[in-house]
Amino acid sequence: MAEAHAAVAFSFTVTPDGYDVNINHEALKHVWQSGVVSWKKRIGRLKNNIRNGVFPATITSWMFVVGIILAVKLAGFDPSFGVIESIHRHTPGLILFSYSVDLYISTMLFGTLVWIGKFLVMRYILKLLLTYHNWMYEVRGTISLKTKIWFTLIRLYGGRKPLLMSYQSSLPKLPVPSIKSSVENYLQSVKHLLSDEKYQEMEKLASDFSKGIGNKLQRYLILKSWWATNYVSDWWEEYVYLRGRSPIMVNSNYYGVDALLVNNTNVQVARAANLIYAMLMYRRELDREELNPILINGVVPLCSAQYERQFNTTRIPGEETDQLVHFKDSNHITVYHKGRYFKVYIRHKGRLLKPCQIEMMLQKIVDDESRPAEGEEHLAALTAGERVHWAKARKEYFSKGKNKASLDAIEKAAFCVSLDTEPQDYDPNDPSKLDRYGKAMIHGKGYDRWFDKSFTFVVCSNGKIGFNAEHSWADAPIMAHMWEVVVTEDHMRLGYDERGHTLGTPEFQPPNPIRLEWDISLPCQQRIEESLQVATVLLNDVDLHIMMFREFGKGFVKTCKVSPDAFIQTALQLTYFRLEKQFCLTYESSMTRLFREGRTETVRSCTADTCNFARAMEQGLAKSECIKLLSKAADTHQKLYRDTMTGKGVDRHLFCLYVVSKYLGVDSPFLSKALSEPWKLSTSQTPHQQTDRLDLNKYPDRICGGGGFGPVTDDGYGVSYMIAGEDTIFFHISCKVSCPHTDAHKFGATLKKSLCDMRDLFSKD
């Protein structure tokens, strides 16, 4: 199936008769088309940069301001109080023009200066307004007059028709909390989890830190916050993700699954083609910044910086640290099927291929019966194993020749596609099928996902889909946003014919897929198999359970006047207490995208109030008392969540102080102990309905199954949940098989009972 392509556009040789010039017109045509596409993108980016540069003002407002000032000037009045005349006298070259031309130019220059002053003032006011966060604490209560005025001003100064990146320069910086507040909040979060003796020890370490080295570290951190756009994000990406030397499969990468209650088509290549096309259209929206920025309550913008590396991005292994590489554009994707890799072009003559044409190319791959090259089938196991091992193998065996060219094709692809040979599905009569579905997405076989790519799109043999995403470039809400858009496009716009194939008729024969060629030596094959052994041990140790909870959803929880997230977090604490007879330090992820380049912060959701509620439930106290304790626990949780979203969290601050201490070569017993405590319960809510493209009230069966991640500790649980619609909650529960006292299915069953017991508190006897 390999397709021959000319390597050069022209060549020449010297002969006894003179020069022999050979021009490849087809190659020159492709070079020209590629150049046209590239320049169109550059011009588009320039236009967007100009629009974003003057936001919240617009170019139209410039024309309006200049027009008004020019009209007033022509009417015989001087709105500049002599400034226009000063511009005329002191601007070189203007005196060479006639008086009327000089008048127009001087007035337009003055109008431009007024307009620049206007948008700078508007941007400063908008930035100042966005530093106000008290509205977060009023959204479910009585809104104060101050907040009402603030919302009005945001709408007034927030600009019209913003691009994806329009708000970036107006977002405030993440503030550095005080040492006192972070230490006090930390101690409060662990007091109920430690014995009196251990708490007194921690309190002493915290006091020594606050009075000693902590202040010095804080000064360096404040200095960084003045200089850097965000004082956390670059260190978080480097030290938490890129410097990790253990496998990223299961340990770092996360996954998502399909909408489970509908079946669009059983034709694998048709479903793949539609979704690939939808993803490429989504990428076009990102490139052109036509994707609407996320606005809380339709008013308050979230940072959009993480979207920039969603496509054309790969993680490159290094011996000490990995590197994220993002390419400006990519004209192809790579497809893995039955152990072979193919390069598939997505454009023809500068235009994106249609779904029906993509389906034709994918069908050729499926129909191809060629065998994988030696070592090719398990090649991606290198990305699933130890990072140092992969870095050394990459340098030694993939730095030249066929292997380098083929590896470049994978790493420079827009994204990777895996056409699986096994079906996956949801069957209410066989819950184990959903568990297998999740395991196929989080790790597959350990060699059929390119774990270094920003994401691998997985299509099962029966048309069900999912993805596996690398974590360092962005957090789950970014992938969830794309997933929501493309799955909705597949449902609502693209569609299939009566045989399950894509709609439309190909206008021309699309280019053939190109089989990637490899020359993998025996020593390299040995390296691949070593990585596969590591990956196999890791994936066999994953205990994963996906539970669709349909007894009730957020609709019922709201009638209890409790936040759905707080309700679920409290249920998780009750579940863990019922299983382990104790409480543990609990991680809940929240976002800090109200600030520029913000990513995540930790909600320490195991509070004294949630513990009191769990004990009351186990002791069988009266319903009224349990409801009172639940309400208090929920209020405490909501305050913590809002505090972390508004820059008052604990963990990222302590983490950055620890990094500074390592740079300075000083030890802090308090920071070392605080940051080494294990998160035996790591939780996260997957956002749903980030866009208004899908109406779940009209199409309730379109709910997506969400996604999940692996356990953070050897003896703990990872729990991801998605509140999908009014009466459904998805839970993705993971732990390790090798741990004798963790069991994902047992946790799920206990969690279901906890939720139902909490519901029964509100039932009328």
Side-chain angles (χ1 to χ4, degrees):
M1 179 173 289
E3 182 178 323
H5 286 273
V8 294
F10 65 92
S11 62
F12 69 91
T13 56
V14 180
T15 67
D17 299 325
Y19 296 103
D20 183 14
V21 180
N22 179 25
I23 299 177
N24 188 320
H25 294 282
E26 186 65 22
L28 284 176
K29 184 178 179 182
H30 283 291
V31 169
W32 169 258
Q33 290 172 349
S34 179
V36 169
V37 171
S38 177
W39 275 103
K40 283 182 178 179
K41 288 196 170 187
R42 291 182 185 181
I43 293 171
R45 291 191 186 107
L46 178 61
K47 290 180 179 179
N48 289 341
N49 287 338
I50 293 173
R51 286 184 60 182
N52 292 335
V54 302
F55 191 84
T58 63
I59 300 299
T60 304
S61 69
W62 170 79
M63 297 173 62
F64 178 77
V65 170
V66 171
I68 290 293
I69 292 176
L70 186 60
V72 172
K73 181 66 175 175
L74 292 176
F77 300 95
D78 184 6
S80 68
F81 300 99
V83 176
I84 293 177
E85 182 62 28
S86 179
I87 292 174
H88 164 62
R89 290 198 310 268
H90 296 95
T91 303
L94 283 186
I95 200 167
L96 300 177
F97 296 98
S98 64
Y99 174 78
S100 58
V101 173
D102 172 46
L103 175 66
Y104 282 118
I105 295 176
S106 299
T107 304
M108 290 178 66
L109 287 174
F110 172 75
T112 301
L113 291 175
V114 171
W115 176 74
I116 290 173
K118 172 194 170 184
F119 84 70
L120 288 177
V121 169
M122 289 179 65
R123 178 179 295 174
Y124 179 78
I125 292 175
L126 179 60
K127 192 168 188 175
L128 192 64
L129 289 169
L130 292 176
T131 61
Y132 173 77
H133 295 128
N134 284 351
W135 64 273
M136 288 279 295
Y137 300 85
E138 300 178 4
V139 291
R140 286 181 174 83
T142 302
I143 299 179
S144 66
L145 178 61
K146 181 180 179 180
T147 298
K148 289 179 181 178
I149 295 173
W150 177 80
F151 271 117
T152 302
L153 290 173
I154 286 287
R155 290 188 178 97
L156 180 63
Y157 288 97
R160 299 291 181 270
K161 296 181 179 179
L163 299 174
L164 179 64
M165 300 293 175
S166 290
Y167 289 107
Q168 292 303 102
S169 59
S170 299
L171 292 173
K173 286 188 175 184
L174 180 68
V176 181
S178 67
I179 290 286
K180 180 181 178 181
S181 66
S182 288
V183 169
E184 287 179 352
N185 290 335
Y186 167 78
L187 290 174
Q188 185 178 3
S189 73
V190 299
K191 185 175 182 179
H192 55 285
L193 299 174
L194 301 176
S195 65
D196 291 341
E197 182 181 349
K198 289 186 177 180
Y199 179 74
Q200 289 175 5
E201 178 188 351
M202 183 59 76
E203 198 173 31
K204 176 67 167 58
L205 292 175
S207 177
D208 294 342
F209 174 77
S210 300
K211 295 175 181 177
I213 191 63
N215 293 313
K216 180 180 180 180
L217 303 179
Q218 179 80 344
R219 286 193 291 270
Y220 279 95
L221 200 56
I222 290 174
L223 182 63
K224 186 197 176 186
S225 73
W226 292 347
W227 177 256
T229 307
N230 187 295
Y231 81 92
V232 175
S233 294
D234 57 337
W235 284 351
W236 187 254
E237 179 179 300
E238 180 179 359
Y239 293 108
V240 172
Y241 294 116
L242 298 181
R243 290 212 177 194
R245 301 293 81 201
S246 59
I248 61 175
M249 182 192 78
V250 176
N251 293 326
S252 178
N253 286 27
Y254 57 95
Y255 70 92
V257 297
D258 199 358
L260 302 178
L261 302 179
V262 292
N263 189 24
N264 298 280
T265 178
N266 291 321
V267 181
Q268 181 185 33
V269 290
R271 188 84 197 280
N274 264 356
L275 268 295
I276 289 170
Y277 178 77
M279 289 175 184
L280 295 174
M281 293 302 293
Y282 182 86
R283 185 181 71 158
R284 174 182 286 181
E285 287 189 66
L286 284 183
D287 289 342
R288 296 177 178 180
E289 297 189 34
E290 294 171 352
L291 193 69
N292 293 329
I294 301 295
L295 302 176
I296 300 179
N297 295 335
V299 178
V300 186
L302 298 183
C303 177
S304 300
Q306 294 181 59
Y307 288 90
E308 293 179 328
R309 298 182 293 184
Q310 187 157 21
F311 295 90
N312 326 324
T313 299
T314 195
R315 177 170 174 163
I316 304 296
E319 294 189 30
E320 294 184 359
T321 183
D322 291 355
Q323 180 185 7
L324 270 180
V325 178
H326 173 69
F327 303 95
K328 287 293 184 182
D329 192 20
S330 177
N331 287 319
H332 71 278
I333 59 174
T334 52
V335 178
Y336 176 89
H337 178 63
K338 289 186 177 180
R340 296 92 36 87
Y341 287 91
F342 298 86
K343 181 177 181 179
V344 177
Y345 283 102
I346 55 177
R347 289 194 184 104
H348 182 73
K349 296 183 179 180
R351 297 172 57 188
L352 282 177
L353 297 176
K354 299 297 182 183
C356 56
Q357 295 165 325
I358 298 174
E359 182 182 353
M360 289 178 63
M361 294 189 294
L362 297 179
Q363 189 62 53
K364 290 181 180 180
I365 292 174
V366 172
D367 292 341
D368 182 10
E369 297 180 356
S370 61
R371 302 283 300 172
E374 292 293 329
E376 181 181 12
E377 182 177 10
H378 296 163
L379 177 62
L382 289 169
T383 69
E386 300 288 343
R387 302 306 293 174
V388 175
H389 183 84
W390 171 209
K392 291 179 178 179
R394 187 179 190 277
K395 183 178 180 180
E396 186 172 355
Y397 301 110
F398 297 90
S399 58
K400 59 184 178 181
K402 292 180 182 179
N403 291 349
K404 183 180 187 304
S406 294
L407 183 61
D408 280 348
I410 294 174
E411 294 180 338
K412 293 180 179 180
F415 53 90
C416 287
V417 179
S418 180
L419 299 178
D420 282 8
T421 55
E422 299 84 17
Q424 304 294 342
D425 211 342
Y426 164 69
D427 184 351
N429 298 317
D430 185 2
S432 65
K433 286 188 177 181
L434 196 52
D435 299 342
R436 289 196 295 271
Y437 194 167
K439 287 175 68 69
M441 297 304 120
I442 192 172
H443 53 62
K445 298 175 181 176
Y447 58 81
D448 51 356
R449 316 278 183 259
W450 198 269
F451 294 100
D452 283 354
K453 284 298 289 183
S454 54
F455 68 92
T456 297
F457 171 47
V458 182
V459 189
C460 306
S461 62
N462 62 341
K464 284 295 183 182
I465 58 172
F467 68 84
N468 181 286
E470 201 274 323
H471 208 160
S472 63
W473 62 272
D475 300 307
I478 308 303
M479 273 302 297
H481 188 178
M482 183 204 74
W483 198 242
E484 183 178 324
V485 170
V486 300
V487 171
T488 302
E489 286 291 291
D490 181 42
H491 291 323
M492 309 299 293
R493 193 173 70 86
L494 297 176
Y496 303 88
D497 63 21
E498 63 278 2
R499 296 179 301 146
H501 292 277
T502 54
L503 301 176
T505 303
E507 300 174 3
F508 54 84
Q509 184 72 20
N512 288 325
I514 301 172
R515 173 78 183 275
L516 298 185
E517 299 180 357
W518 307 92
D519 183 12
I520 301 176
S521 62
L522 287 176
C524 182
Q525 292 177 39
Q526 180 63 32
R527 295 283 188 93
I528 293 171
E529 292 306 312
E530 289 171 359
S531 286
L532 180 58
Q533 290 175 14
V534 172
T536 301
V537 171
L538 184 57
L539 67 88
N540 285 336
D541 200 24
V542 174
D543 182 12
L544 180 66
H545 176 48
I546 302 178
M547 180 174 73
M548 180 188 284
F549 182 82
R550 307 206 74 179
E551 277 70 10
F552 62 88
K554 67 178 180 181
F556 166 76
V557 177
K558 287 178 179 178
T559 65
C560 304
K561 298 182 179 180
V562 176
S563 157
D565 182 66
F567 191 94
I568 292 173
Q569 284 291 328
T570 306
L572 291 172
Q573 293 303 320
L574 176 58
T575 299
Y576 191 87
F577 182 64
R578 284 175 166 176
L579 289 172
E580 303 293 335
K581 308 307 177 186
Q582 62 181 346
F583 298 98
C584 69
L585 198 62
T586 303
Y587 180 109
E588 181 188 3
S589 179
S590 76
M591 67 171 183
T592 55
R593 287 170 61 199
L594 289 171
F595 303 95
R596 191 169 182 181
E597 294 185 13
R599 290 196 60 161
T600 61
E601 179 56 279
T602 305
V603 181
R604 292 173 165 253
S605 55
C606 181
T607 65
D609 291 326
T610 57
C611 294
N612 291 337
F613 168 77
R615 292 191 187 99
M617 288 290 288
E618 286 299 271
Q619 293 168 7
L621 297 187
K623 287 185 177 182
S624 59
E625 182 64 21
C626 289
I627 291 174
K628 181 179 177 181
L629 291 172
L630 173 60
S631 178
K632 186 177 180 182
D635 289 343
T636 301
H637 177 271
Q638 282 299 92
K639 183 181 183 303
L640 284 175
Y641 202 96
R642 290 162 181 163
D643 285 346
T644 57
M645 284 186 65
T646 53
K648 302 170 191 171
V650 172
D651 290 271
R652 300 301 180 266
H653 184 207
L654 296 184
F655 162 76
C656 288
L657 290 171
Y658 181 78
V659 173
V660 174
S661 73
K662 291 304 175 184
Y663 277 131
L664 297 179
V666 297
D667 290 326
S668 168
F670 167 71
L671 291 176
S672 297
K673 194 169 183 63
L675 294 174
S676 63
E677 294 170 336
W679 302 99
K680 291 190 177 182
L681 191 55
S682 181
T683 70
S684 179
Q685 180 182 172
T686 302
H688 198 239
Q689 283 192 285
Q690 296 188 75
T691 72
D692 57 0
R693 302 195 187 197
L694 178 61
D695 184 357
L696 283 181
N697 293 323
K698 189 176 181 180
Y699 303 101
D701 59 343
R702 304 294 188 184
I703 54 174
C704 182
F709 51 89
V712 175
T713 61
D714 291 340
D715 58 349
Y717 293 94
V719 182
S720 174
Y721 54 94
M722 187 176 74
I723 305 170
E726 296 296 312
D727 57 2
T728 304
I729 306 172
F730 285 99
F731 291 96
H732 297 248
I733 305 161
S734 66
C735 61
K736 292 196 173 183
V737 175
S738 57
C739 180
H741 65 271
T742 58
D743 186 319
H745 292 78
K746 187 176 180 181
F747 190 98
T750 309
L751 175 58
K752 183 176 182 179
K753 184 178 186 306
S754 297
L755 289 166
C756 291
D757 288 347
M758 290 170 65
R759 175 198 59 190
D760 293 343
L761 292 175
F762 298 89
S763 63
K764 296 180 180 179
D765 294 331

